[in-house]
Amino acid sequence: MAQRKKAKRDHEKNQPHEAIAMLRADHQRVRDLFQEYEAATDPQAKRDIAKAAFVELETHAQLEEQIFYPTVNEETEEGPELVKEALEEHQTVKQLIQELRDTRDVKEFDAKFTTLVRDVEHHVEEEESEMLPLAEVELEGDLDQLQEEMQTLKQEIMAS
């Protein structure tokens, strides 16, 4: 019997945790929108895709900043440094989104959007290679609760 429980635990350890899977799925949705933007030729279609990307990015940032990052910051040794850098990157992205919303010129918009894509891809790469693996190991017992909290917040954001 003890062997069976241990095997089950080992199996569960190798499964991606829902909180981590949720963040990775958000990252993928944004990547998909970036690809749609690149493939689009109509300026209005590009702007509509960009607006959808802004909403995804802003929602995702709120989940991380209000729920995920505070836990990583408090519960892991490497957390404070990783979270500080991630928050700085979020601020840069938020500033770019605001600039893009205020930009009317198509060529200027494209150039700024390219910068946004580069900055977001850099941030996601760091997060997926450093913070998320750390969280999977160090926060294993907290991840189900984090996922529930993030899901609730996301529903609240989408409803507002």
Side-chain angles (χ1 to χ4, degrees), residues 8-25 68 128 132-133 135-137 139-145 147 150:
K8 184 174 190 242
R9 265 198 312 270
D10 287 348
H11 172 72
E12 287 171 355
K13 253 185 192 171
N14 294 330
Q15 297 302 309
H17 293 281
E18 290 302 313
I20 303 300
M22 184 177 175
L23 295 173
R24 288 183 191 274
F68 188 70
E128 290 188 350
L132 297 185
E136 280 184 316
V137 173
L139 304 177
E140 185 176 13
D142 300 320
L143 290 172
D144 289 339
Q145 178 67 32
Q147 191 267 336
M150 288 190 299

Side-chain angles (χ1 to χ4, degrees), residues 13-56:
K13 253 185 192 171
N14 294 330
Q15 297 302 309
H17 293 281
E18 290 302 313
I20 303 300
M22 184 177 175
L23 295 173
R24 288 183 191 274
D26 286 354
H27 291 167
Q28 188 57 52
R29 265 193 305 283
V30 170
R31 285 185 190 110
D32 292 346
L33 287 166
F34 288 167
Q35 287 179 349
E36 283 181 44
Y37 182 92
E38 290 301 319
T41 53
D42 176 62
Q44 187 56 52
K46 288 181 118 172
R47 197 165 285 265
D48 291 344
I49 294 165
K51 285 179 185 175
F54 300 162
V55 170
E56 286 289 336

Side-chain angles (χ1 to χ4, degrees), residues 3-149:
Q3 185 64 32
R4 178 175 235 176
K5 276 187 178 175
K6 182 180 179 337
K8 184 174 190 242
R9 265 198 312 270
D10 287 348
H11 172 72
E12 287 171 355
K13 253 185 192 171
N14 294 330
Q15 297 302 309
H17 293 281
E18 290 302 313
I20 303 300
M22 184 177 175
L23 295 173
R24 288 183 191 274
D26 286 354
H27 291 167
Q28 188 57 52
R29 265 193 305 283
V30 170
R31 285 185 190 110
D32 292 346
L33 287 166
F34 288 167
Q35 287 179 349
E36 283 181 44
Y37 182 92
E38 290 301 319
T41 53
D42 176 62
Q44 187 56 52
K46 288 181 118 172
R47 197 165 285 265
D48 291 344
I49 294 165
K51 285 179 185 175
F54 300 162
V55 170
E56 286 289 336
L57 289 166
E58 289 167 332
T59 302
H60 180 77
Q62 286 185 59
L63 299 179
E64 289 182 332
E65 291 171 11
Q66 293 178 32
I67 297 168
F68 188 70
Y69 289 172
T71 305
V72 171
N73 188 55
E74 293 166 19
E75 303 292 331
T76 68
E77 194 174 315
E78 299 93 337
E81 184 179 326
L82 292 173
V83 168
K84 181 178 183 274
E85 182 179 353
L87 288 170
E88 289 169 1
E89 290 170 350
H90 276 201
Q91 196 53 45
T92 300
V93 167
K94 288 176 189 176
Q95 187 176 338
L96 268 170
I97 288 172
Q98 190 53 54
E99 289 174 17
L100 280 157
R101 284 191 167 123
D102 296 338
T103 301
R104 298 290 157 242
D105 180 75
V106 173
K107 285 186 195 257
E108 185 181 347
F109 189 92
D110 267 343
K112 280 186 199 251
F113 196 82
T114 299
T115 301
L116 176 73
V117 169
R118 186 194 67 226
D119 289 355
V120 168
E121 286 177 349
H122 168 80
H123 172 73
V124 166
E125 168 65 30
E126 283 188 345
E127 202 166 84
E128 290 188 350
S129 66
E130 296 172 22
M131 192 181 298
L132 297 185
L134 172 72
E136 280 184 316
V137 173
E138 300 280 328
L139 304 177
E140 185 176 13
D142 300 320
L143 290 172
D144 289 339
Q145 178 67 32
L146 285 173
Q147 191 267 336
E148 288 175 26
E149 290 175 26

